[in-house]
Amino acid sequence: MASNRGPVSYEVRQDGSLRARRGGGGLVSGLSAIGPDAGALWVCSALGDGDREAVRRGVGEDGVRMLDIPADVHADAYNGIANSVLWFVHHMLYQTPLEPVFDAEFRRQWASYEAYNRAFAEALAEEAAEGAVAIVQDYHLTLVPGMLRELRPDLRIGHFSHTPWAPVEYFRMLPDDIAEQVLRGMLGADRLGFLTRRWADAFTGCCDALVGGLGDTRIGVHGLGADADFLRKRSHEADVDERMAALRKEIGTDPDGNARRTIVRVDRTELSKNIVRACWPTGSCSWTTPSGGSGSRTSRSRTRRGRTSRCTGTTRPRCGGWPRRSTRSSGRRAGRRSCCTSRTTSRGRWRRTGSRTWRW
């Protein structure tokens, strides 16, 4: 199996030793059922300095191969193409009067995306047994199935998309050669999986319009849900009871002494989730912010892939409520919309905003 993020990550302690911990992200959680008993090998990318140091020292976990892809190549492929182009296309979130712009910088980053995908294809070709199954994950690795097919025609290859797939009218915004390369890369697989029929049909429509159809590749729709039995069992353990009691004490009661009704969501604070809109049906909500007086929270949240047309809420943030133009560091393309305080890290572009707590 291949994915950008793997089931384990490493950090370098102050004494120079390495500490392993479970990899983050929804994909890792969704695929956690694939355990060591499956006899599978998980090929992933080294994401940070700790991961790269682990690869150089030969430190690793059973069933995991971590690729030490050069940091600049990974940054171009992951941040420049996968998250800043393909993710926006598939979620249809471009401000189309202004973007996207496919310039020389895009072409340079696309070359890194090709190199990044090639590294995964070569690793899978090297590791897979005769006639084995190789399952490739998500939009970061759309070119891998086609590359792997050329290297190892004996393999059974699958690819699963964990995001939407754009309809052909939107997908056509990509340059013709890039759109065709993405589709033909995907069609190197024997079977492609999508989360919904709508997105599977959108992919089929793109292939019919741009590359003459699906060929021999089959399409499947497979929902990826939570492990309900595990969650039910976990909810009755002692540490959960203790945490629930602490939360009830923190939430407290309303002015009449009644227990407050609480709605809990766990989401990235990003534009595709639109958490504020999701709260509208519940009724009016009052905000507490880091500067909102008594009972306000001081935590901060991080937003990736971020653009916003306007900050929302009853209080205006420090940015004044309107987006401003910003420039990516390390020579990245200018013109990204950002809000509040922005910074660029080795793991991508993040926007920091004061978090808000909603109470009813």
Side-chain angles (χ1 to χ4, degrees), residues 322-340:
W322 296 103
R324 65 172 183 269
R325 285 285 179 185
S326 64
T327 304
R328 289 190 170 202
S329 65
S330 305
R332 297 201 180 283
R333 186 168 74 243
R336 293 290 179 199
R337 292 285 186 183
S338 64
C339 185
C340 303

Side-chain angles (χ1 to χ4, degrees), residues 190-205:
D190 297 287
R191 185 177 180 89
L192 299 172
F194 297 88
L195 288 169
T196 71
R197 172 55 57 187
R198 175 185 176 187
W199 299 336
D201 290 345
F203 177 83
T204 301

Side-chain angles (χ1 to χ4, degrees), residues 5 15 35 38 55 59 80 101 162 172 220 233 239 247 254 260 281 301 337 351:
R5 190 181 299 273
D15 62 1
V55 175
V59 175
V101 176
H162 295 259
R172 281 183 185 272
K233 180 180 178 182
D239 62 325
L247 285 173
D254 63 22
R260 284 194 174 99
S301 60
R337 292 285 186 183
R351 184 175 70 251

Side-chain angles (χ1 to χ4, degrees), residues 245-256:
L247 285 173
R248 290 191 183 97
K249 182 178 180 181
E250 179 181 358
I251 293 167
T253 60
D254 63 22
D256 297 328

Side-chain angles (χ1 to χ4, degrees), residues 98-344:
L98 303 174
E99 55 189 1
V101 176
F102 299 112
D103 52 12
E105 175 70 1
F106 165 79
R107 292 290 176 172
R108 185 190 67 78
Q109 291 178 333
W110 183 259
S112 294
Y113 184 78
E114 292 175 316
Y116 166 80
N117 276 251
R118 175 66 65 179
F120 274 88
E122 291 174 348
L124 290 170
E126 178 184 337
E127 296 286 355
E130 184 73 22
V133 175
I135 304 176
V136 184
Q137 306 291 331
D138 227 359
Y139 60 98
H140 313 92
L141 301 175
T142 60
L143 308 183
V144 168
M147 293 176 172
L148 184 57
R149 178 65 65 200
E150 294 179 357
L151 297 171
R152 290 288 304 274
D154 61 296
L155 297 181
R156 291 172 290 167
I157 304 171
H159 184 284
F160 191 86
S161 294
H162 295 259
T163 65
W165 192 275
V168 63
E169 295 81 5
Y170 208 91
F171 190 75
R172 281 183 185 272
M173 283 198 299
L174 292 171
D176 291 347
D177 61 319
I178 299 299
E180 181 176 349
Q181 192 175 353
V182 168
L183 294 174
R184 293 198 183 280
M186 296 274 284
L187 292 175
D190 297 287
R191 185 177 180 89
L192 299 172
F194 297 88
L195 288 169
T196 71
R197 172 55 57 187
R198 175 185 176 187
W199 299 336
D201 290 345
F203 177 83
T204 301
C206 289
C207 291
D208 290 342
L210 301 178
V211 295
L214 296 173
D216 296 329
T217 302
R218 292 170 295 167
I219 302 294
V221 176
H222 311 280
L224 185 63
D227 186 341
D229 292 337
F230 167 79
L231 292 174
R232 290 190 189 98
K233 180 180 178 182
R234 185 76 180 89
S235 68
H236 294 292
E237 294 181 7
D239 62 325
V240 176
D241 292 336
E242 293 174 1
R243 181 60 180 153
M244 287 294 292
L247 285 173
R248 290 191 183 97
K249 182 178 180 181
E250 179 181 358
I251 293 167
T253 60
D254 63 22
D256 297 328
N258 300 313
R260 284 194 174 99
R261 291 178 294 171
T262 305
I263 297 175
V264 178
R265 284 179 57 130
V266 180
D267 278 313
R268 280 194 181 118
T269 313
E270 65 176 36
L271 70 169
S272 72
K273 302 296 187 286
N274 207 337
I275 298 173
V276 175
R277 175 186 281 179
C279 291
W280 286 349
T282 65
S284 61
C285 57
S286 61
W287 305 86
T288 62
T289 67
S291 58
S294 61
S296 63
R297 301 289 179 257
T298 58
S299 61
R300 297 168 72 85
S301 60
R302 296 187 292 184
T303 301
R304 270 197 303 193
R305 311 183 183 107
R307 256 193 296 275
T308 184
S309 59
R310 180 179 172 84
C311 288
T312 54
T314 57
T315 59
R316 297 190 68 161
R318 287 170 294 179
C319 66
W322 296 103
R324 65 172 183 269
R325 285 285 179 185
S326 64
T327 304
R328 289 190 170 202
S329 65
S330 305
R332 297 201 180 283
R333 186 168 74 243
R336 293 290 179 199
R337 292 285 186 183
S338 64
C339 185
C340 303
T341 304
S342 299
R343 67 186 179 96
T344 300

Side-chain angles (χ1 to χ4, degrees), residues 4-16:
N4 174 71
R5 190 181 299 273
V8 63
S9 64
Y10 297 90
E11 64 176 340
V12 181
R13 293 172 169 158
Q14 290 185 347
D15 62 1

